[in-house]
């Protein structure tokens, strides 16, 4: 076999591998919807037996956060956090304190996320005593049409505490980008890694 024939064979092989890899990626991407998208109404995840007023106050904090984002109001957004709150973005930026969170979002609202809104669903609310709770959900920022519950690309954890003034505020926020293809691959390769809600 001459060099020209070997080169063509290598090119055809590479093209076939690219088509197979692309097909596999598309398959994983199109079959990776979440089974448990979450409730669109925060109040729907307030646990039975919990203080309903506290659950509603926590949901009001999240509503105020969403409203402030839609207005691009960094000060109102920052007021939903405790003075010493932490905020970790899906790209790994870690803000410490209300002032840091506020100023970081002031810049974001003027640039990267200007004109966007937040979409969210809620997975679980757990109270860790009378003055602390953890809320988990899915979310995303968007422009144009609001994404559906299964289209939200981030998983979010809010740790909330009752501040001395009685207001529920966010003490810690963590935002994780869902890698749907990697997640689907891991569930196919090792089904036991799938969370119970996704089996």
């Amino acid at each position: 076999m001459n060099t020209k024939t070997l080169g063509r064979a290598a090119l055809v092989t590479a093209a076939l591998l690219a088509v197979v890899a692309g097909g596999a990626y598309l398959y994983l991407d199109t079959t990776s919807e979440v089974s448990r998208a979450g409730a669109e109404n925060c109040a729907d995840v307030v646990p039975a037996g919990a203080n309903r007023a506290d659950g509603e106050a926590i949901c009001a904090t999240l509503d105020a956060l969403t409203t402030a984002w839609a207005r691009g109001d960094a000060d109102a957004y920052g007021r939903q956090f405790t003075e010493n709150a932490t905020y970790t973005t899906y790209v790994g930026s870690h803000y410490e304190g209300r002032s840091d969170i506020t100023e970081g979002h002031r810049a974001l609202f003027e640039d990267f996320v200007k004109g966007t809104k937040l979409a969210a669903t809620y997975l679980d609310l757990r109270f860790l005593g009378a003055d602390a709770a953890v809320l988990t959900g899915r979310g995303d920022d968007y422009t144009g049409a609001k994404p559906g519950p299964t289209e939200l690309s981030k998983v979010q954890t809010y740790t909330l505490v009752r501040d001395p003034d009685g207001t529920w505020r966010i003490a810690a926020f963590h935002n994780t980008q869902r890698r749907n293809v990697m997640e689907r691959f891991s569930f196919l390769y090792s089904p036991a890694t799938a969370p119970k809600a996704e089996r």
Side-chain angles (χ1 to χ4, degrees), residues 106-118:
R106 190 178 317 283
L108 286 169
F109 293 153
E110 292 172 2
D111 196 358
F112 291 119
V113 298
K114 185 175 185 173
T116 63
K117 296 179 182 178
L118 293 180

Side-chain angles (χ1 to χ4, degrees), residues 55-109:
E56 289 172 2
I58 286 169
C59 291
T61 298
L62 273 289
D63 289 344
L65 194 76
T66 300
T67 300
W69 183 292
R71 288 194 324 253
D73 187 340
D75 294 311
Y77 191 82
R79 281 193 298 274
Q80 307 316 308
F81 295 86
T82 62
E83 283 292 338
N84 62 350
T86 59
Y87 190 110
T88 306
T89 71
Y90 75 93
V91 297
S93 302
H94 182 75
Y95 299 93
E96 295 182 1
R98 179 185 292 159
S99 176
D100 198 21
I101 294 165
T102 300
E103 294 313 312
H105 281 82
R106 190 178 317 283
L108 286 169
F109 293 153

Side-chain angles (χ1 to χ4, degrees), residues 12-24:
V12 168
T13 302
L16 286 173
L17 287 173
V19 167
V20 169

